Structure formats: structure tokens, C-alpha cells
Amino acid sequence: MSVYEILSNYHKELWSGLKVTLQLCGFVYPIGIILGSLIGIARHKWKIVAGIPGFVFSLIISSTPILVFLFWLHYPLQFMLQIVVDPFITSAIALSVVMTVIVSEQVRHALNDFPTQYLLSARACGLTTKQIVIKIQLPMIFRQMLPNLLFAMVTVLQATLFTSMIGLNEIFRVAQQINSDIYQPVQIYTALAIFFIGVCAVLNILAFWLKSRLKWSFSEV
């Protein structure tokens, strides 16, 4: 059976798995970006109260393999709490935490490196704090962070494959189920690889293009 025949015969199953993957990313990306930005700002502003706990938490999460973290949330934690949580929710929480940690680190670094000359010049021109944040800080920091944010999104998209290990019917688990029926691993996993290469390569190329296009550093100021 060719790759085309597999896609043609099992397109409904593959589409259902792809929808779960996309839904998962649809939850994780906005949660991670919003929470990560708020935590990054808090860590920059309150270096003792928020900075130290944030650093410790970030160190723990970044030192823990995503698969181990996911399993810990799904098995030991739920066993200790005597609860059963849907694998989709567990996966969304685990990946949101990972994305939040990545984004918060990026925001904190961007704020720490932000040149005070801009702030002093803006205040000398009579801009209010709100105007400085909206018209100067946010656009510059967004420009600084955008390429790395795309890399983070690719990392999370690839990490969704781990969620199949706790029973979530995302695209990788669906591919495994199809393979168990027809045993065509070369064709099935080749099609899956092509899908991820197609999506991730576009995001990576876009990130590299933006990085070169927006090549600029606070250190140049």
C-alpha cells in the first residue's frame, strides 16, 4: 500500500488525530504566551519575591524531560490525589507549563536587557509610563522575541507526540493504530514525518528569516 493509498483510505482517522494535535496546540500556545509574559514581567519587576521562586521553578521544569513530567502528572500525581483527569487536560497542562517557562525566560531576558537610554529619552520627551510601554517597550521586545517564540512553538508541537504515551488520540497515536491494522510502518511513519517536516520547517524557516531580517540587539545600543 502506497503513502497516497494510506492517506486516501485513512484520511478520516488521520484528520481526527490531527485535529486533536491542533486543538492541543490551540490551548497551549495562548496560555503559554499570556502566562509566560505575565510571569516574565513579574520576575523582572519583583526580583526577590517573584524572581527567585520563578527561577527555581524554571530550573526544575527545564531540567525535567517533558515525557517524565507528563507521566508524573498523569500517573503519580493523580494516584496521590485519587482523581482521574482526561489525558487531553493533563497534556494541555503539562505542555502549557513548558511553554510558560520558555516564554517567561524570554520576556525576563528581554526586559533585563532593555536599554535604559530609551526610557530616559522617552521620559525627557514627556511620554507617560503607559505611552512608553505601549509605543516603545512592547514593539521592541516583541521584535526581539518573535523568532525565539516561533522556535518554542515548534518545540511544543513536536512534544505533542509524547501525549500519545498517556492515551491521547493525537496524530501519532492514530498512526500507530493504523500501523497495527495494516502493518505498513515505512509508508505510515514516512507520511507522518513529511507532515511534521512540512509544518515545522515552515515555522523554522520563518523564524530564521525573521531573525536575519530583524537582526538587532539591545547590546548594539
Side-chain angles (χ1 to χ4, degrees), residues 147 150-151 201 203-214:
L150 290 174
F151 288 133
L203 289 174
N204 279 328
I205 290 171
L206 181 61
F208 280 120
W209 180 79
L210 285 172
K211 210 164 187 175
S212 61
R213 181 81 175 175
L214 306 176

Side-chain angles (χ1 to χ4, degrees), residues 61 64-72 94-95 98 155-156 159-160 162:
I61 295 299
T64 307
I66 295 176
L67 184 58
V68 174
F69 181 51
L70 185 65
F71 265 59
W72 188 83
L95 295 180
V98 173
T155 299
V156 170
T160 61
F162 293 135

Side-chain angles (χ1 to χ4, degrees), residues 7-49:
L7 292 175
S8 176
N9 294 338
Y10 293 93
H11 66 277
K12 288 183 181 176
E13 291 82 356
L14 291 169
W15 173 240
S16 69
L18 179 59
K19 277 201 299 185
V20 174
T21 299
L22 295 178
Q23 286 171 355
L24 190 57
C25 290
F27 276 96
V28 172
Y29 288 163
I31 291 173
I33 291 171
I34 293 171
L35 276 182
S37 299
L38 293 175
I39 293 173
I41 292 170
R43 290 179 63 189
H44 166 75
K45 195 169 183 180
W46 299 290
K47 290 184 170 47
I48 303 297
V49 177

